[in-house]
């Protein structure tokens, strides 16, 4: 099956800093989503982005499908950005999402 | 438009009891997925259902676990004779009646087996 790798595994930032999270996947995909799991365990949809670039406020994401990676950019970090960020993909002819192991982000004031 | 709803949010069961987890998809969604998150791990796919049909159950444990999505009512994930290793967060997601669309996740049910 498709392998999904995320980096870095851990990230510690001071409020106001910018960061880039990376997701590499081992095969062509038909679906790619980014999620934020907050400290209370809730999973929040950030982007549905099998290709191209999207922006939502301080967050943006880019997927280069031909090179099998996606990037999540967080600008001007806030403490409420803390949590774990997951990338998940689904290959062609399947709908099940395969999740990466996540990037744990801690933002300090 | 209400999001995906799951209940209960927290469930405590003793070893050997049954656990029933419910998921109501978003309005207009007819595809339901169940995922499990063991402590300190990522989410793993369990099963994919459409109304009255199991489409893909490749992630379901062979024994004690079952899922259904009846014509009327929520989807149910049932775990019989629970063991401590079943303690996890169980997330449900739904998507519109077309393939390969964004999946929207519910808040999860946290199962604790004592």
């Amino acid at each position: 099956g498709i392998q999904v790798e995320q980096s870095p595994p851990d990230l510690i930032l001071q409020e106001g800093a910018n960061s880039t999270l990376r997701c590499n996947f081992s095969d062509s995909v038909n679906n790619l989503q980014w999620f934020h799991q907050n400290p209370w365990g809730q999973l929040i949809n950030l982007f549905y982005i099998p290709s191209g670039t999207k922006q939502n406020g301080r967050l943006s994401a880019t997927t280069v499908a031909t090179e099998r990676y996606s990037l999540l950019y967080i600008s001007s970090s806030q403490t409420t950005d803390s949590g774990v960020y997951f990338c998940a993909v689904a290959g062609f002819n399947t709908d099940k999402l395969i999740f990466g192991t996540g990037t744990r982000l801690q933002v300090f004031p | 438009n209400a999001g995906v709803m799951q209940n209960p949010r927290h469930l405590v069961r003793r070893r050997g009891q049954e656990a029933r987890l419910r998921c109501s998809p978003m309005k207009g969604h007819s595809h339901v997925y169940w995922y499990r998150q063991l402590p300190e791990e990522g989410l793993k796919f369990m099963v994919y259902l459409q109304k009255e049909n199991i489409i893909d159950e490749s992630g379901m444990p062979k024994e004690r676990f079952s899922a259904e999505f009846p014509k009327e009512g929520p989807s149910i994930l049932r775990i019989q004779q629970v063991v401590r290793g079943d303690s996890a967060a169980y997330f449900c997601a739904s998507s519109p009646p077309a393939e390969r669309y964004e999946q929207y996740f519910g808040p999860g049910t946290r199962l604790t087996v004592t």
Side-chain angles (χ1 to χ4, degrees), chain B residues 18 24 29 39 42 67-68 72 93 96 103 106:
Chain B
E18 178 179 284
S24 296
H29 287 192
E68 62 178 9
E72 302 291 338
Q103 294 181 25

Side-chain angles (χ1 to χ4, degrees), chain B:
Chain B
N1 187 10
V4 178
M5 300 178 69
Q6 291 188 248
N7 67 81
R9 295 290 305 277
H10 300 275
L11 182 62
V12 179
R13 284 288 178 265
R14 292 182 178 174
R15 279 180 296 170
Q17 291 184 320
E18 178 179 284
R20 283 195 178 203
L21 288 61
R22 294 175 183 77
C23 169
S24 296
M26 288 179 69
K27 187 177 181 180
H29 287 192
S30 58
H31 295 203
V32 166
Y33 314 80
W34 286 93
Y35 294 82
R36 177 166 69 172
Q37 185 176 31
L38 294 169
E40 302 301 319
E41 293 189 13
L43 282 78
K44 297 281 196 302
F45 168 81
M46 298 181 75
V47 63
Y48 163 34
L49 310 102
Q50 295 177 18
K51 286 284 187 181
E52 300 185 281
N53 285 303
I54 296 175
I55 306 302
D56 181 350
E57 56 181 349
S58 58
M60 286 279 269
K62 299 299 181 193
E63 297 177 348
R64 300 187 297 108
F65 285 72
S66 63
E68 62 178 9
F69 188 17
K71 186 176 181 181
E72 302 291 338
S75 175
I76 306 285
L77 179 67
R78 183 183 293 110
I79 311 172
Q80 296 178 304
Q81 299 177 321
V82 296
V83 300
R84 289 218 171 110
D86 296 332
S87 295
Y90 292 82
F91 289 91
C92 168
S94 72
S95 67
E99 292 180 352
R100 296 165 200 122
Y101 267 68
E102 181 175 6
Q103 294 181 25
Y104 296 82
F105 279 72
T109 293
R110 273 145 193 85
L111 172 66
T112 301
V113 179
T114 61

Side-chain angles (χ1 to χ4, degrees), chain A residues 2 4 23 25 27-35 45 47-51 63 65 87-98, chain B residues 33 35 95 99-105:
Chain A
I2 298 177
V4 182
C23 171
F25 42 96
D27 204 347
S28 300
V29 299
N30 206 33
N31 180 356
L32 189 146
Q33 295 184 231
W34 282 97
F35 299 91
N45 286 41
F47 294 102
Y48 167 72
I49 187 165
S51 64
T63 297
C87 165
V89 305
F92 287 85
N93 301 316
T94 179
D95 290 276
K96 62 184 180 185
L97 287 175
I98 298 170
Chain B
Y33 314 80
Y35 294 82
S95 67
E99 292 180 352
R100 296 165 200 122
Y101 267 68
E102 181 175 6
Q103 294 181 25
Y104 296 82
F105 279 72

